[in-house]
């Protein structure tokens, strides 16, 4: 969310998520089944965030270009994060 607030493009946010997950999996005591469970739980939380962001976007005044842009970037960042977590979970 901190990156989204700074206007970082969604593909870079997804890459950050992928790098964090890869680090977790490189831990010496990393168990892929535990990691999958954790990633699935994380995905569920992000899905809730995406739904909330979609709702918030619908409340933004279309005449406020900056607010529309920021809301869209935040939503795209959450969607990119969700997709990155899904890919990581599916790869286990």
């Amino acid at each position: 969310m901190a990156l989204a607030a700074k206007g970082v493009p969604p593909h870079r946010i997804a890459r950050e998520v992928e790098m964090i997950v890869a680090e977790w999996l490189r831990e010496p005591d990393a168990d892929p089944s535990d990691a999958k469970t954790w990633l699935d739980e994380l995905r569920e939380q992000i899905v809730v965030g995406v739904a909330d962001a979609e709702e918030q976007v619908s409340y933004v005044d279309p005449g406020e270009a900056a607010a529309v842009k920021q809301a869209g970037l935040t939503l795209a960042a959450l969607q990119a994060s969700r997709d990155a977590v899904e890919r990581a979970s599916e790869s286990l």
Side-chain angles (χ1 to χ4, degrees):
M1 287 309 301
L3 294 175
K6 293 179 183 179
V8 173
H11 70 275
R12 284 191 46 208
I13 292 173
R15 182 67 188 131
E16 289 291 325
V17 171
E18 291 166 355
M19 289 187 315
I20 291 167
V21 170
E23 262 185 54
W24 292 333
L25 295 175
R26 280 195 298 268
E27 292 293 321
D29 58 344
D31 179 349
S33 65
D34 288 342
K36 179 153 179 46
T37 299
W38 190 86
L39 287 170
D40 290 344
E41 290 172 5
L42 177 60
R43 183 195 169 280
E44 288 176 21
Q45 293 173 7
I46 295 172
V47 165
V48 170
V50 168
D52 289 344
E54 288 171 338
E55 183 178 345
Q56 293 302 315
V57 167
S58 71
Y59 297 136
V60 175
D61 180 354
E64 304 243 357
V68 169
K69 181 179 178 181
Q70 183 59 42
L73 286 172
T74 300
L75 176 58
L78 284 168
Q79 291 168 330
S81 297
R82 176 201 60 208
D83 296 347
V85 169
E86 285 176 353
R87 285 190 301 273
S89 180
E90 290 169 359
S91 73
L92 295 178

